[in-house]
Amino acid sequence: MATVPRDAIAPTVSAAKLTALQQAVADFDHEQLIWSSGYLAGLAGSTAPRTSLNSLQAIAPANIESSRNADQWHVFYASETSNSRNIAERLAANAAAVGLTAAVQDLRDVRPKLLKNIKNAVFVLATHGIGEPPEGSEPFFEFWMSDKAPRLEGLNFSVLALGDSSYADFCEIGRTFDARLKALGATSVVDRTDCDLDFEIPSTIWTNQVVELASASATSIEVLQSTHLSAVPDSPAYTKQHPFSAEILARQIITGRDSSKDVRHIELDLEGSGLVYQPGDSLGVVPTNPPQLVEALLEATNFSGDELVAIDGESTSLSNAFTEDKEITALSRPILDAVAARHPRLTSILADRDQFATFLETRQLIDLVQEYSVDWQPQEFIDALRGLTPRLYSIASSLDANPDEAHLTVSVINYEKFGRQHWGSASSFLIGDATHAPVYVEPNENFRLPTDSNTPIIMVGAGTGVAPYRAFVEHRREHGHRGKNWLVFGDRNLSSDFLYQLEWLRYRKDGSLSNLDVAFSRDQDAKLYVQHRLIENGTQIFAWLEQGAHFYVCGDAKHMAADVNAALLAIVKQHSDLSDDDTREYVNELKRTRRYQRDVY
Ligand SMILES: Cc1cc2nc3c(=O)[nH]c(=O)nc-3n(C[C@H](O)[C@H](O)[C@H](O)COP(=O)(O)OP(=O)(O)OC[C@H]3O[C@@H](n4cnc5c(N)ncnc54)[C@H](O)[C@@H]3O)c2cc1C
Ligand SMILES: Cc1cc2nc3c(=O)[nH]c(=O)nc-3n(C[C@H](O)[C@H](O)[C@H](O)COP(=O)(O)O)c2cc1C
């Protein structure tokens, strides 16, 4: 990884900007660094707003013409884990560097109809859930996808879509919104770019194209007016690209011996890192892949592991590349496409959305290489694998109650399928032999305690979804907050899966938890889930909501989040006598006012 020597920077560049620059180029190889230096020099030289359009292959002349009247550029983002937000802010900073006005806005804070009144907009849009918009931005997309959406002939736009090609609905939100804007008559001035998790290079190219276009089409230079930008916090010292090596202090199994799951309580030491977090934040863990999986993969591919391969221009052994650099568990598009090129049967699976989704959900890389043999060259195989990406874990502790520590609740992925063993990368790493784990804090503004400490909260979680609630209650206890706390927890069996049972019972006894409801799905014949407990307690849930309670949901995105949402709608409808439309509006309003927040994965 490249680092810029601090003394090479003139004093006009603040530490925060230097860190941002270092983050942006952290994964660049030698060639890309040279290209970027030329690009930055070009920006510095462009004192006039009309820079060359030579590199803008994607922009048709008619489109440039139609954007000439524009002065302000609106940069919108929809983000959950801050990748899109960071790119949007970087774009605005680049635009400011060439004298353009650029306002950055989170789509959660935007009235949907605002689009009607603007001429130039760029969108950096992540996809979450199962092909869904990031939390809080749903009302914006619902409006523009609905029949109520007005025509947008006057709008010039471009979309950068962020996603993960290990999901069947890859970049779904960016792709569908781009198509919708075109259908409404808006003009795409820079072609949409779809980014996988290794988005640094494609997002930089897209950003450069947008800034060059904006610069070339501006009629006047204006000073930067966006107050939003000044609110951007300084980058922390330890980040995804520069994680802190935290000592692992404890790894305690918190599921019972008879449990079908293995869940660990992990404690990490943050002392000396300067890392701070708030209840609701996640910790990013940069894993090393499990050695037993590396062995199995080498065997399956008939490599010794000593073969030399190049990663970002640097030579390393294949075994090292599997261990430290590449994703060798979850499948993603590049490797699937490379294998499908030799196996037509796989091509037809990839072409069918549902078959593809099932394939991705049930198989890891080891299954793919066993099922579809390919006579790989080592470098060819490595090039088809995506870079190893960090995993996020909801922080299960309050920093104020546990200074210098972060606790996690980790469900260990270790299962047998197709006659072979499978492991998860980060969960295996956290419970393995390592004494330290590279970590960083991932803030989550979408999952926050109410600012008023007297406000009641309802916390709904299944399995490891209970983690942030441990942080919430610890924090409220530590600060003597008076707001009532209600936990609705679900898992499989009471005897083995009631995570942090003793703590919750103690909190219930000392009044830190005013209400505690549990749903153990496998303790009786009929399945019992958290949504059933909510419905049973509907009168009181609605009464709490009417008192201003905040409603949180954490854990399984696939089933629980949708079932709890349906239960919430049913409760509001039943206890309010509102119409269906007004019930939906009631729940949407909870979302808009940040009183209904979800952290689901
Ligand atoms: C905001 C956020 C918060 C999170 N908080 C938590 C938390 O508090 N606790 C927690 O445990 N996790 C949490 N996660 C999930 C976590 O980030 C990891 O995804 C999870 O731990 C798996 O990572 P891994 O590296 O061990 O597995 P990976 O190496 O990512 O392997 C996972 C892959 O294995 C396959 N797989 C797994 N199980 C099966 C199975 N039974 N059958 C078939 N295939 C399977 C799937 O292909 C899956 O993609 C959170 C995620 C997010 C986004
Ligand atoms: C819980 C979860 C669900 C996701 N679902 C999808 C999906 O359905 N399709 C997709 O392309 N990407 C999906 N992603 C990947 C994100 O879009 C990707 O991580 C992106 O970089 C996040 O951007 P953000 O940090 O701005 O939120 C998902 C990520 C998470 C954590």
Short mmCIF file of all heavy atoms in Angstrom, two decimals, residues 353-375:
data_model
loop_
_atom_site.label_atom_id
_atom_site.label_comp_id
_atom_site.label_asym_id
_atom_site.label_seq_id
_atom_site.Cartn_x
_atom_site.Cartn_y
_atom_site.Cartn_z
N ARG A 353 -32.04 -14.99 -12.46
CA ARG A 353 -31.85 -14.29 -11.20
C ARG A 353 -32.02 -15.20 -9.97
O ARG A 353 -31.21 -15.18 -9.03
CB ARG A 353 -32.81 -13.09 -11.10
CG ARG A 353 -32.50 -12.17 -9.95
CD ARG A 353 -33.65 -12.07 -8.95
NE ARG A 353 -33.19 -11.48 -7.71
CZ ARG A 353 -33.22 -12.14 -6.56
NH1 ARG A 353 -33.64 -13.38 -6.50
NH2 ARG A 353 -32.80 -11.55 -5.47
N ASP A 354 -33.09 -16.01 -9.96
CA ASP A 354 -33.37 -16.82 -8.77
C ASP A 354 -32.37 -17.96 -8.62
O ASP A 354 -31.89 -18.23 -7.52
CB ASP A 354 -34.80 -17.36 -8.81
CG ASP A 354 -35.80 -16.22 -8.62
OD1 ASP A 354 -35.37 -15.13 -8.17
OD2 ASP A 354 -36.99 -16.40 -8.95
N GLN A 355 -32.06 -18.60 -9.74
CA GLN A 355 -31.05 -19.67 -9.67
C GLN A 355 -29.70 -19.10 -9.22
O GLN A 355 -28.98 -19.70 -8.43
CB GLN A 355 -30.85 -20.30 -11.05
CG GLN A 355 -31.93 -21.27 -11.46
CD GLN A 355 -31.46 -22.04 -12.70
OE1 GLN A 355 -30.41 -22.65 -12.70
NE2 GLN A 355 -32.26 -21.97 -13.75
N PHE A 356 -29.40 -17.92 -9.73
CA PHE A 356 -28.14 -17.27 -9.40
C PHE A 356 -28.09 -16.95 -7.90
O PHE A 356 -27.10 -17.21 -7.21
CB PHE A 356 -28.01 -15.99 -10.24
CG PHE A 356 -26.76 -15.20 -10.01
CD1 PHE A 356 -25.54 -15.84 -9.77
CD2 PHE A 356 -26.78 -13.81 -10.05
CE1 PHE A 356 -24.38 -15.10 -9.57
CE2 PHE A 356 -25.63 -13.07 -9.83
CZ PHE A 356 -24.43 -13.72 -9.60
N ALA A 357 -29.22 -16.40 -7.38
CA ALA A 357 -29.28 -16.04 -5.96
C ALA A 357 -29.07 -17.28 -5.10
O ALA A 357 -28.31 -17.26 -4.12
CB ALA A 357 -30.61 -15.36 -5.64
N THR A 358 -29.73 -18.38 -5.46
CA THR A 358 -29.58 -19.62 -4.69
C THR A 358 -28.14 -20.12 -4.76
O THR A 358 -27.56 -20.55 -3.76
CB THR A 358 -30.53 -20.71 -5.25
OG1 THR A 358 -31.83 -20.15 -5.32
CG2 THR A 358 -30.54 -21.95 -4.39
N PHE A 359 -27.57 -20.03 -5.94
CA PHE A 359 -26.18 -20.47 -6.12
C PHE A 359 -25.25 -19.69 -5.18
O PHE A 359 -24.41 -20.26 -4.47
CB PHE A 359 -25.77 -20.24 -7.58
CG PHE A 359 -24.51 -20.94 -7.97
CD1 PHE A 359 -24.55 -22.24 -8.47
CD2 PHE A 359 -23.27 -20.33 -7.83
CE1 PHE A 359 -23.38 -22.90 -8.83
CE2 PHE A 359 -22.10 -20.98 -8.18
CZ PHE A 359 -22.16 -22.26 -8.68
N LEU A 360 -25.43 -18.35 -5.14
CA LEU A 360 -24.58 -17.51 -4.30
C LEU A 360 -24.78 -17.79 -2.82
O LEU A 360 -23.84 -17.75 -2.03
CB LEU A 360 -24.90 -16.02 -4.56
CG LEU A 360 -24.43 -15.44 -5.89
CD1 LEU A 360 -25.02 -14.06 -6.10
CD2 LEU A 360 -22.91 -15.37 -5.94
N GLU A 361 -26.02 -18.07 -2.45
CA GLU A 361 -26.33 -18.28 -1.03
C GLU A 361 -25.81 -19.60 -0.51
O GLU A 361 -25.55 -19.76 0.67
CB GLU A 361 -27.84 -18.26 -0.82
CG GLU A 361 -28.37 -16.87 -0.52
CD GLU A 361 -29.89 -16.84 -0.63
OE1 GLU A 361 -30.53 -17.84 -0.30
OE2 GLU A 361 -30.40 -15.80 -1.08
N THR A 362 -25.72 -20.60 -1.40
CA THR A 362 -25.41 -21.94 -0.91
C THR A 362 -23.97 -22.37 -1.14
O THR A 362 -23.54 -23.38 -0.62
CB THR A 362 -26.34 -22.98 -1.58
OG1 THR A 362 -26.32 -22.73 -2.98
CG2 THR A 362 -27.75 -22.86 -1.06
N ARG A 363 -23.23 -21.61 -1.96
CA ARG A 363 -21.88 -22.08 -2.28
C ARG A 363 -20.81 -21.06 -1.95
O ARG A 363 -21.02 -19.86 -2.09
CB ARG A 363 -21.79 -22.40 -3.77
CG ARG A 363 -22.48 -23.69 -4.16
CD ARG A 363 -22.65 -23.78 -5.65
NE ARG A 363 -23.30 -24.99 -6.07
CZ ARG A 363 -24.62 -25.18 -6.02
NH1 ARG A 363 -25.42 -24.24 -5.55
NH2 ARG A 363 -25.14 -26.32 -6.44
N GLN A 364 -19.68 -21.59 -1.55
CA GLN A 364 -18.49 -20.76 -1.40
C GLN A 364 -17.52 -21.07 -2.54
O GLN A 364 -17.78 -21.98 -3.36
CB GLN A 364 -17.83 -21.04 -0.05
CG GLN A 364 -18.61 -20.51 1.15
CD GLN A 364 -17.75 -20.40 2.40
OE1 GLN A 364 -16.62 -20.89 2.45
NE2 GLN A 364 -18.28 -19.74 3.41
N LEU A 365 -16.41 -20.36 -2.57
CA LEU A 365 -15.42 -20.56 -3.64
C LEU A 365 -14.97 -22.01 -3.74
O LEU A 365 -14.84 -22.57 -4.84
CB LEU A 365 -14.21 -19.64 -3.38
CG LEU A 365 -13.08 -19.74 -4.39
CD1 LEU A 365 -13.52 -19.29 -5.78
CD2 LEU A 365 -11.88 -18.90 -3.93
N ILE A 366 -14.76 -22.65 -2.60
CA ILE A 366 -14.28 -24.03 -2.59
C ILE A 366 -15.27 -24.95 -3.33
O ILE A 366 -14.87 -25.88 -4.02
CB ILE A 366 -14.01 -24.51 -1.14
CG1 ILE A 366 -13.35 -25.88 -1.08
CG2 ILE A 366 -15.27 -24.51 -0.29
CD1 ILE A 366 -11.87 -25.83 -1.17
N ASP A 367 -16.57 -24.66 -3.20
CA ASP A 367 -17.58 -25.47 -3.88
C ASP A 367 -17.53 -25.23 -5.40
O ASP A 367 -17.68 -26.16 -6.18
CB ASP A 367 -18.98 -25.13 -3.36
CG ASP A 367 -19.07 -25.29 -1.85
OD1 ASP A 367 -18.60 -26.32 -1.35
OD2 ASP A 367 -19.57 -24.36 -1.19
N LEU A 368 -17.32 -23.96 -5.76
CA LEU A 368 -17.27 -23.63 -7.20
C LEU A 368 -16.10 -24.37 -7.86
O LEU A 368 -16.28 -25.00 -8.91
CB LEU A 368 -17.09 -22.11 -7.37
CG LEU A 368 -17.01 -21.63 -8.81
CD1 LEU A 368 -18.41 -21.54 -9.42
CD2 LEU A 368 -16.34 -20.26 -8.91
N VAL A 369 -14.91 -24.31 -7.25
CA VAL A 369 -13.76 -24.92 -7.92
C VAL A 369 -13.85 -26.44 -7.92
O VAL A 369 -13.31 -27.10 -8.80
CB VAL A 369 -12.39 -24.44 -7.34
CG1 VAL A 369 -12.21 -22.96 -7.53
CG2 VAL A 369 -12.23 -24.82 -5.89
N GLN A 370 -14.56 -27.00 -6.94
CA GLN A 370 -14.75 -28.45 -6.94
C GLN A 370 -15.77 -28.88 -7.98
O GLN A 370 -15.62 -29.90 -8.64
CB GLN A 370 -15.24 -28.94 -5.56
CG GLN A 370 -14.22 -28.76 -4.45
CD GLN A 370 -13.16 -29.87 -4.43
OE1 GLN A 370 -13.07 -30.63 -5.38
NE2 GLN A 370 -12.37 -29.94 -3.38
N GLU A 371 -16.82 -28.07 -8.13
CA GLU A 371 -17.92 -28.44 -9.02
C GLU A 371 -17.59 -28.16 -10.49
O GLU A 371 -18.03 -28.88 -11.37
CB GLU A 371 -19.15 -27.61 -8.62
CG GLU A 371 -20.43 -28.39 -8.54
CD GLU A 371 -21.54 -27.52 -7.95
OE1 GLU A 371 -21.43 -27.06 -6.79
OE2 GLU A 371 -22.51 -27.29 -8.67
N TYR A 372 -16.85 -27.09 -10.73
CA TYR A 372 -16.55 -26.68 -12.11
C TYR A 372 -15.03 -26.59 -12.25
O TYR A 372 -14.44 -25.55 -11.95
CB TYR A 372 -17.17 -25.31 -12.42
CG TYR A 372 -18.67 -25.31 -12.35
CD1 TYR A 372 -19.33 -25.05 -11.15
CD2 TYR A 372 -19.43 -25.59 -13.48
CE1 TYR A 372 -20.72 -25.06 -11.08
CE2 TYR A 372 -20.82 -25.60 -13.43
CZ TYR A 372 -21.45 -25.33 -12.23
OH TYR A 372 -22.82 -25.34 -12.16
N SER A 373 -14.43 -27.67 -12.72
CA SER A 373 -12.97 -27.65 -12.73
C SER A 373 -12.45 -26.80 -13.90
O SER A 373 -13.03 -26.80 -15.00
CB SER A 373 -12.42 -29.07 -12.80
OG SER A 373 -12.59 -29.55 -14.10
N VAL A 374 -11.39 -26.07 -13.63
CA VAL A 374 -10.77 -25.20 -14.63
C VAL A 374 -9.26 -25.38 -14.47
O VAL A 374 -8.76 -25.47 -13.35
CB VAL A 374 -11.14 -23.71 -14.36
CG1 VAL A 374 -10.32 -22.79 -15.25
CG2 VAL A 374 -12.63 -23.47 -14.60
N ASP A 375 -8.58 -25.44 -15.59
CA ASP A 375 -7.14 -25.60 -15.55
C ASP A 375 -6.51 -24.21 -15.41
O ASP A 375 -6.06 -23.61 -16.38
CB ASP A 375 -6.68 -26.29 -16.85
CG ASP A 375 -5.29 -26.84 -16.71
OD1 ASP A 375 -4.77 -26.87 -15.58
OD2 ASP A 375 -4.72 -27.23 -17.75
#
